[in-house]
Every structure is written in structure tokens, then in C-alpha cells.
Amino acid sequence: MTKTVIEVRGLGKRYRVGQREPYLALRDVLARALQAPFCMERKAARDYLWALRDVSLDIAQGEVVGLVGRNGAGKTTLLKILSRITRPTAGYAEIRGRIGSLLEVGTGFHPELTGRENIYLSGAILGMSKREINRKFEAIVDFSGVERFIDTPLKHFSTGMQMRLAFAVAAHLEPEILLVDEVLAVGDLEFQKKCLGKMQDISQTGRTIVFVSHQMNQIRRLCQRAYWIDGGQLRKEGNVHEVVSAYEYAMASGDQTGREGAKERGLKGRFVQWEITEPRAEAPHLLTALGPVTLKFALEIHQPVRKGHHGIALRNLENQLIWAWAADGVTLGVGEHDFCYTFPMLPVRPGTYTWHVSLYDEGNLVDYWDCLPEMIVATEIHQHTRDEWNGVLNMPCDFEILERNGIGR
């Protein structure tokens, strides 16, 4: 049976909300003690906030687990409790093994010290011995890419250079359990890829990793399981594919269900809603299979369209154009219509995408719509195991090795 290295039961953390506690004299303490029976109950609900409440989870040895959730959901609070930085208000968290945390990149750096001196200082604070730092010093400097300035005071480093050096130190920790909180978003794009590659290398050594990120593709690539924390409580847990897809769909949907309530009189027509009709999923804007795929865009026409032009485009979260198409000679009568598209396959990498549809008549715009909710692609991954080699397409393929017969071949 796999050993459980992180066991959390009924965990809760309560913070006081309001002004900082003032300095009190003895007479103030005595006055408060006399007033307490009359005002304690009234203040309890108003002055305290539960950042975490009744959270229970188990993480096994060697697992790479992701934590997802919006800002303020309680992810960092959970990691701080696991790191023993703060104590829980309720419940307990039991850790079995040496733990290391990358919660705030740059902890322990001093601007007056050189880069070399800060490596030793930060490494010591993170729990590394001097012998261990000496052994890894060259690798840390090489990873950071600041070897030319290693003997320069840190105050002369740019912010990006400081972050690169800080992550390089933290990335060379060798704990049994590693907690990582949104630290892969440091430096430029090239360094981010290097950081992600380092995290993948760590994950392949059998160490347990708890990883927090708002980059869902990084969570998908690194983790096997995921926990979705919302409002301080555990909302969903399970396979990373299912949890991340549910989270993305909830964030993309919000309260946006279409444009039915936004119609304006006098318009020739407008798109009102869209959905994926095939394959069917638990939500009409969630794509769970590569193909075949059928989309339906509904529109209402208030005046006839005689010389219409219709366009459609698909863009990813970075606004990169994935695909586009157009049709001329569109004629539409007054009433409701559906524009239907059928694709034998839609092989895009999992993530969030937006459809854009437009309609013109005789060169004049009838309507243009950035379709809401966005499309969440949650298909099976058919890509390279390293994120830096993942492109836009997510296409399955068959690979085989054929033996060639013949002398000299």
C-alpha cells in the first residue's frame, strides 16, 4: 500500500479582520474584561474570517498534486499550515518526511550582499547545509544565468535577475515533500520554460510535490491529481483532468449564459447563444472528445439579410488565432436561425478558447459576437511530455518501428 505523507483532517484557519490591535495599559485590559460578556457575541461574526474551513485530504508518497482556485480561495494559507509557518485554528495536518517550500521567491535575500553571498544566505534559510550549497553552487549559478554578475551587490540586479537567482536556489532543494506556490511565473518566457522543466525533473524523482498555479496547462502537465479550493473549502477533488476542466468551466461561465437579455430594438439581427451539440457533455460549452464535433450558433433576424457575409474564428486564451473561415451569399429571412458547424476533429490542446462570429449584409455589420461562455477543451492529452515541446495541436498518432530486410541495411 502507498504510504500517505500528508494527512489533513478538518483543517481550519481563522483570521481577525479589522484594525491592528492597539497597545493596551493595564486599565484597558481590565476594562475589556468587564465589557467582554456584553460584546463578545456581537463581534464574533463581524471581526473574523475563515480562510480555510473543514478541509480534509490525503497525499501519497511520490504524488504530484495541484491546488487550483481563484485568488483568496485559501491555497496559500493551506501551504503555510503544511509548512509550519502558521498554526491551524481547527483540525490538524500531519506531515511525514522532510519538507521544503517555495512560497515566496526571494525570501532571505539582502540587497547589500552580492549574488554569491545571497546564495549561501538564502540556501541556509531554506534548510540547506553549507556543504550542500558548495556542491550545488555551480549548478545554481548556471541555472540562474547571472554568472557574470554573481559578485555584484544584489541591489544592482534588475527585478527579473533577482527572481531568477532566488528560484535557482530554491529549485535545488532536495526535500522529500516540496510545496510550490505560484513561483514558476518568474523571469522571461525562456526562463519560465526552464523552471517548468526543472519542476518536471523533480517530479520524476519520486518526491511528493504540492503545486499551486493559475496556469492550468502547467497543472495538467505536472500533476496526476488536483484539489479545487473555493471560499476556503474543498469543492472538488480527483483526477487532474476532471478537476481542472470543472474549474475552468466555472470560471469561464460565471453568470454569462448568452445574450438573450441584451437584445435591442432596431437591430437587423444578433447572435443570442451557442453550444456544443456533439459530443454531449455535462455542460454545453465543454468539449471532452476530439471528434467529431458539432457546434450550433443561434441568431435572431429582425430584417431580411439578402447579401450576407458570415465569418467565424477561434482564438486561444493568449488571443492567438487558431482557425478561421467565412461564407458569402448568405440569405436569411426574419426569424430564428442556427448556424451549424461539423468538424471531423478539433485537435487543440486542452484549455480555454473563444469563438468569434460575425454577420454582414451588403457590407454593413449586422452583429459581431465574442461568444460567451468560452469553450473549455478537456480532451485527452496527446502531446509531448515536456511542456516546452507542446504546440497548439493535440493530435493522436500511431507510432511503430518497421524492420527492413536486406544485406547492408
Side-chain angles (χ1 to χ4, degrees), residues 148-173:
R148 182 181 177 185
F149 312 100
I150 197 64
D151 292 311
T152 303
L154 198 73
K155 63 183 180 181
H156 298 307
F157 282 35
S158 68
T159 302
M161 291 169 61
Q162 294 182 33
M163 299 292 278
R164 289 165 71 104
L165 186 61
F167 182 85
V169 175
H172 286 78
L173 287 169

Side-chain angles (χ1 to χ4, degrees), residues 266-303:
L267 293 176
K268 200 168 209 177
R270 69 188 297 113
F271 292 95
V272 292
Q273 65 179 14
W274 82 280
E275 63 177 331
I276 301 172
T277 59
E278 186 68 32
R280 289 288 183 181
E282 61 184 39
H285 310 102
L286 178 64
L287 181 62
T288 56
L290 291 175
V293 178
T294 301
L295 309 176
K296 182 174 71 175
F297 300 87
L299 68 158
E300 296 177 349
I301 299 299
H302 308 303
Q303 300 175 20

Side-chain angles (χ1 to χ4, degrees), residues 305-376:
V305 175
R306 296 183 173 84
K307 296 181 180 180
H309 170 87
H310 164 59
I312 183 172
L314 178 66
R315 293 182 180 273
N316 62 15
L317 198 59
E318 289 76 34
N319 205 35
Q320 180 183 9
L321 180 64
I322 306 300
W323 175 82
W325 186 82
D328 290 313
V330 177
T331 58
L332 300 169
V334 175
E336 298 179 350
H337 302 267
D338 292 329
F339 286 174
C340 297
Y341 286 86
T342 300
F343 303 90
M345 179 183 290
L346 203 55
V348 293
R349 68 184 297 180
T352 304
Y353 295 83
T354 302
W355 288 101
H356 307 266
V357 289
S358 63
L359 180 63
Y360 291 80
D361 186 26
E362 297 181 342
N364 298 314
L365 179 65
V366 176
D367 192 25
Y368 177 89
W369 185 31
D370 298 331
C371 300
L372 292 173
E374 296 152 318
M375 179 175 70
I376 305 300

Side-chain angles (χ1 to χ4, degrees), residues 8 60 65 98 109 122 137 172 175 189 200 209 233 235 245 255 268 281 312 314 317 330 363 365:
V8 175
V65 176
R98 180 188 176 194
F109 272 29
S122 179
F137 184 83
H172 286 78
L189 183 60
Q200 288 177 320
I209 299 177
Q233 297 182 312
R235 180 163 172 177
S245 298
D255 298 324
K268 200 168 209 177
I312 183 172
L314 178 66
L317 198 59
V330 177
L365 179 65

Side-chain angles (χ1 to χ4, degrees), residues 16 33 61 81 93 124 130 150 222 237 271 321 344 370:
R16 180 166 183 167
Q61 183 178 4
I81 293 175
K130 184 176 181 180
I150 197 64
L222 290 173
E237 62 176 293
F271 292 95
L321 180 64
D370 298 331

